[in-house]
Amino acid sequence: MRIFLKTSFFVLVLMLLSSMGIVVAQIAPTSVQCGQIIEGEFLRADNEGAQEYTLSLAPGDRITVSGDTVGAYLKYAIRVFAPTTGVVASDDYVHRDEPHAESNVLSERGTYTIRVWSNGPGLYTLYIGCTLRDGTVIAPGDVPVSHQVTTSTSASLTQDVPEFGFAGLAPVDFANVARLTIPANVPMTGAITPNGGEILGYLVNGSEGDVLELRFTRLSGNLNLGLIVLSQNNELAFQASLITTNSLITQFTLPSTGEYTVGVFRVDLLPVSQPEPTAFQIQATLNP
């Protein structure tokens, strides 16, 4: 079994800045989907206030991103980048109050990046539409999710919340999670900052029928933490959250042979009024 954890000096620096009351910028793109309508806010202009969103596309797909603004003065620009081959759609790099960027048929498979930047502070809306290779049209609004984003905080997701029921969780992109090798069966610690969008990940090698035991504990702080286990085929094997509890121990049987990602990240199912840097400990054991 191999287990990896994303921890870095950068996380510790973010925790220190947060404790000092210093605002930090959006540190990672926000994962979105075709069909979403995204609401965001620029707090600064041009490249200093640029914001990014990522989504997965395949050969034969096309993407269209358009936008509008609140008020008479804000203007912004849109560019869409392929995973490795550069810009595939833009609005000619011109700031507009209704920008529009549309790609031709895409060739590359992978994670595409939508980048927006403005001439100043203000509220904006993005409309993401896609036409898939098989002709399926996914129009903006087909996925009823809205992201509220600023340059000074990580993205937070709001959904159409039922009057009484479970509001659900936001999509979380693990494509670019950095990893460090750690010894097997050893409790490891990590940290999530109030202003950051950190995703900390392990990799566990297992076989079909193996039992995986996870021990997950919040050591300090008050952020709500999500825990997921994904197969190498992006199938969800387990999901839980630390909301009003501080620890959990669980065991479950792996459905297939291969690598499993154990991920920890912030969730906002019950947001706290005064978020604090939050440390946690996690241990993974096969066939305990």
Side-chain angles (χ1 to χ4, degrees):
M1 179 184 66
R2 295 183 294 128
I3 307 177
F4 299 82
L5 174 67
K6 177 193 174 184
T7 56
S8 66
F9 176 74
F10 183 52
V11 173
L12 297 178
V13 171
L14 286 176
M15 291 179 63
L16 178 61
L17 291 176
S18 177
S19 66
M20 296 171 61
I22 300 175
V23 173
V24 296
Q26 179 186 12
I27 67 170
T30 301
S31 176
V32 296
Q33 303 176 56
C34 293
Q36 284 192 245
I37 299 174
I38 302 164
E39 295 180 350
E41 181 177 4
F42 295 110
L43 296 184
R44 292 176 292 181
D46 298 323
N47 289 329
E48 291 184 353
Q51 297 170 14
E52 293 185 343
Y53 304 87
T54 58
L55 76 167
S56 296
L57 295 169
D61 295 346
R62 287 181 291 164
I63 181 172
T64 301
V65 184
S66 57
D68 57 28
T69 62
V70 175
Y73 301 101
L74 178 66
K75 299 180 185 298
Y76 67 103
I78 300 171
R79 275 186 285 181
V80 181
F81 295 85
T84 64
T85 54
V87 177
V88 294
S90 75
D91 52 3
D92 299 323
Y93 308 92
V94 177
H95 291 102
R96 309 176 191 275
D97 54 3
E98 294 185 353
H100 180 88
E102 184 173 353
S103 77
N104 291 318
V105 176
L106 302 174
S107 300
E108 189 174 0
R109 184 186 308 278
T111 300
Y112 285 70
T113 300
I114 302 168
R115 191 171 196 267
V116 296
W117 71 102
S118 68
N119 66 341
L123 296 174
Y124 70 93
T125 304
L126 279 182
Y127 304 88
I128 302 177
C130 300
T131 301
L132 305 185
R133 183 183 181 185
D134 64 3
T136 300
V137 176
I138 305 175
D142 286 351
V143 178
V145 178
S146 171
H147 287 259
Q148 305 293 334
V149 181
T150 70
T151 57
S152 63
T153 64
S154 62
S156 61
L157 180 141
T158 59
Q159 296 178 317
D160 292 336
V161 180
E163 183 176 349
F164 182 78
F166 180 54
L169 295 173
V172 182
D173 188 355
F174 282 79
N176 298 312
V177 173
R179 295 149 182 169
L180 296 173
T181 302
I182 63 172
N185 304 320
V186 175
M188 296 297 295
T189 57
I192 304 292
T193 62
N195 293 322
E198 301 90 354
I199 303 172
L200 291 88
Y202 300 90
L203 277 179
V204 178
N205 272 328
S207 300
E208 181 178 355
D210 282 348
V211 175
L212 179 62
E213 178 181 273
L214 296 178
R215 295 174 177 263
F216 186 37
T217 304
R218 179 169 40 220
L219 300 176
S220 64
N222 61 0
L223 297 179
N224 300 321
L225 302 178
L227 173 69
I228 60 95
V229 179
L230 294 173
S231 74
Q232 62 188 30
N233 296 322
N234 199 37
E235 299 166 329
L236 183 64
F238 179 79
Q239 183 275 322
S241 303
L242 296 184
I243 307 298
T244 57
T245 185
N246 285 323
S247 64
L248 69 84
I249 301 174
T250 186
Q251 294 182 354
F252 56 94
T253 301
L254 300 182
S256 59
T257 298
E259 286 187 336
Y260 285 82
T261 298
V262 181
V264 179
F265 51 93
R266 179 180 177 179
V267 297
D268 287 321
L269 291 177
L270 186 64
V272 294
S273 58
Q274 296 181 331
E276 302 171 357
T278 299
F280 66 87
Q281 177 177 282
I282 188 165
Q283 178 178 341
T285 306
L286 276 175
N287 301 315

